[in-house]
Amino acid sequence: MSALTDKRIVLGISGGIAAYKSADLVRRLRERGADVRVVMTRGAQEFIRPLTFQALSGNPVHSDLLDPAAEAAMGHIELARWAGLILIAPASAQLLGKLAAGLADDLLTTLCLASQAPLAVAPAMNQVMWHHDATTANVDRLRSRATHIWGPAAGSQACGEIGPGRMLEPDELVRRVERLFGNRQLLASRRVVVTAGPTREALDPVRYISNRSSGKMGFALAAAAQRAGAEVTLIAGPVALATPTGVKRIDVTNALEMRDAAEEAADACDIFIAAAAVADFRPAQVAEQKIKKSDSRDEDRLTLVKNPDIVAAIAARRKLRPFTVGFAAETEKLLEHARGKLQRKGLDLIVANDVSAADGGFDSDRNSVTVIDANGCETLPSALKTELADRLITVIASRAVQE
Ligand code: C5P
């Protein structure tokens, strides 16, 4: 079975010279078993005839919102519900603007509003248009609504200029579609445990020590592992995030609770991924009642004790030892510190993350990381945490699953 067998893809085509490449894209998607329905804007039809896409997709091409005959065959709401993915390639500057504004003045934009399917766009335009503040704002807005922005690539353009604005090549788009559907079953029947979020170490019933971890990276990894076919247990510190579909979640508050849950879950897992920002220390004593200012001296000292290192303990196991992955969030000497941690903690692989970078780190939706193991390191470019998670799971699976 191919990776895209029976996957239902609405391929939107907007006006741009790159539309000719979409013909090849349809062919490649169909070769992998996808069911493709093409929707063209009026602008797209100026560049390439619908008949081409009808022949390649094996389905009638949709272009009119208000065509009674087309609506009778498969109406726009039906098409919106049918889609497992809406991919718009090429996506013109105009189309990105309309999507960002939530306009629905033709079939393609209406479909995007009426569908709950994931939306991916492959921008293609002149490089000055791509760099324009208006386009940047539109793309940021779409990204904040979880739209996948694929490309553009840089290079020579049809208009004779050089710069970013070329639509990604069809084979790259197909790879991304496959990744999005996560149907490669890289981790089929594997059991994966992920720790995520911060821990809270209580001082008294109302106060605690904690850190800025949002849990987004760990949750994205749990979702990505699940998409790759794994049975996933997510051990989460206190975060305000929805549980990814199909993932078993265990909520914990402090490091000792996280350790207990992790040790138990690790007994029956193949891959252990420690993405949690576990507090290194906890107060030596937890006051039963709220500590009163009036009972304290002007300079009071807090006595802390070290928390157990959860991931190091799991990596040090002799029996029931899973493939063990840690994270290193650093503000300086990223690779040096990460390599040190890889060795000290006895990990199989470490994901190094510069949390001082403006684009990435704790609260950000984006991240850029370097993966390090005994064989060397590989830097993954900055991407949305959700996309980065898919890539990380691919790397982890390739190292952990040896068959
Ligand atoms: O030593 P440091 O906290 O920088 O190491 C980070 C890595 O170790 C992360 O993978 C984190 O989840 C894990 N860790 C842990 N238990 C701790 C501290 C860190 O599992 N007590």
Side-chain angles (χ1 to χ4, degrees):
M1 198 166 96
S2 159
L4 295 178
T5 301
D6 297 334
K7 294 289 179 257
R8 298 190 297 209
I9 300 172
V10 166
L11 176 64
I13 301 174
S14 64
I17 185 61
Y20 79 91
K21 290 192 195 171
S22 305
D24 188 32
L25 178 60
V26 174
R27 195 179 58 77
R28 287 169 191 253
L29 291 170
R30 284 207 65 202
E31 267 171 15
R32 286 165 178 75
D35 193 352
V36 182
R37 297 261 170 179
V38 174
V39 176
M40 297 179 81
T41 65
R42 195 170 301 155
Q45 294 171 58
E46 301 289 332
F47 287 89
I48 186 162
R49 307 272 304 147
L51 197 57
T52 307
F53 290 106
Q54 181 171 320
L56 289 169
S57 70
N59 286 312
V61 170
H62 306 254
S63 51
D64 259 321
L65 182 57
L66 303 172
D67 174 356
E71 281 292 296
M74 193 192 234
H76 67 277
I77 295 294
E78 237 176 309
L79 197 54
R81 289 194 189 129
W82 174 88
L85 165 70
I86 301 180
L87 166 62
I88 305 180
S92 63
Q94 150 91 345
L95 193 100
L96 295 178
K98 287 207 277 186
L99 290 179
L103 297 183
D105 67 346
D106 63 5
L107 179 60
L108 184 53
T109 49
T110 304
L111 269 181
C112 291
L113 272 193
S115 179
Q116 292 181 322
L119 174 64
V121 295
M125 66 197 72
N126 163 274
Q127 53 106 10
V128 179
M129 292 171 84
W130 174 252
H131 283 307
H132 197 287
D133 287 349
T135 306
T136 305
N138 289 334
V139 169
D140 286 347
R141 208 154 158 197
L142 289 171
R143 211 171 250 140
S144 74
R145 299 204 295 252
T147 303
H148 300 271
I149 314 289
W150 291 345
S156 61
Q157 303 203 285
C159 53
E161 294 181 17
I162 295 177
R166 288 164 57 97
M167 187 173 94
L168 292 185
E169 293 302 323
D171 60 344
E172 176 59 24
L173 288 173
V174 169
R175 261 198 296 281
R176 294 192 184 214
V177 170
E178 284 177 336
R179 211 149 55 204
L180 191 142
F181 278 111
N183 198 25
R184 284 167 301 161
Q185 297 297 299
L186 282 171
L187 293 175
S189 74
R190 306 283 161 172
R191 292 156 306 176
V192 174
V193 174
V194 181
T195 66
T199 64
R200 269 183 200 167
E201 311 300 328
L203 280 159
D204 68 18
V206 294
R207 302 183 181 96
Y208 56 80
I209 300 173
S210 192
N211 59 63
R212 286 177 48 202
S213 167
S214 65
K216 282 180 189 164
M217 194 66 232
F219 273 59
L221 281 165
Q226 197 275 339
R227 279 197 295 275
E231 191 186 300
V232 183
T233 303
L234 174 62
I235 302 171
V239 290
L241 294 174
T243 310
T245 314
V247 166
K248 178 183 165 195
R249 173 172 178 173
I250 301 172
D251 283 310
V252 297
T253 305
N254 60 42
L256 294 181
E257 287 170 12
M258 185 173 275
R259 190 263 322 264
D260 292 347
E263 286 286 354
E264 192 181 333
D267 286 347
C269 90
D270 304 292
I271 301 174
F272 183 85
I273 304 174
V278 185
D280 290 323
F281 295 93
R282 65 180 182 278
Q285 274 157 4
V286 184
E288 267 177 39
Q289 305 299 333
K290 184 179 172 194
I291 301 166
K292 292 300 217 193
K293 219 183 313 184
S294 51
D295 294 340
S296 321
R297 289 173 302 222
D298 278 355
E299 268 192 40
D300 233 338
R301 282 179 197 277
L302 193 59
T303 310
L304 300 173
V305 290
K306 226 176 188 164
N307 271 325
D309 192 315
I310 302 169
V311 76
I314 285 169
R317 283 178 171 201
R318 294 201 164 188
K319 285 192 206 149
L320 300 177
R321 183 188 182 282
F323 184 89
T324 309
V325 180
F327 272 72
E330 306 293 339
T331 54
E332 54 163 6
K333 297 186 186 155
L334 180 65
L335 298 187
E336 191 184 319
H337 286 160
R339 280 200 190 95
K341 258 173 218 176
L342 177 77
Q343 280 180 356
R344 257 196 327 279
K345 296 184 190 239
L347 307 173
D348 296 301
L349 187 145
I350 195 156
V351 183
N353 172 201
D354 181 355
V355 285
S356 68
D359 174 25
F362 285 124
D363 291 325
S364 172
D365 285 329
R366 298 179 70 79
N367 213 349
S368 149
V369 300
T370 301
V371 180
I372 307 170
D373 69 4
N375 300 321
C377 65
E378 182 185 347
T379 300
L380 306 183
S382 171
L384 285 178
K385 284 182 178 172
T386 47
E387 286 172 15
L388 190 64
D390 282 323
R391 284 180 219 167
L392 276 173
I393 287 297
T394 306
V395 175
I396 292 169
S398 71
R399 314 280 160 97
V401 181
Q402 299 294 326
E403 312 144 344

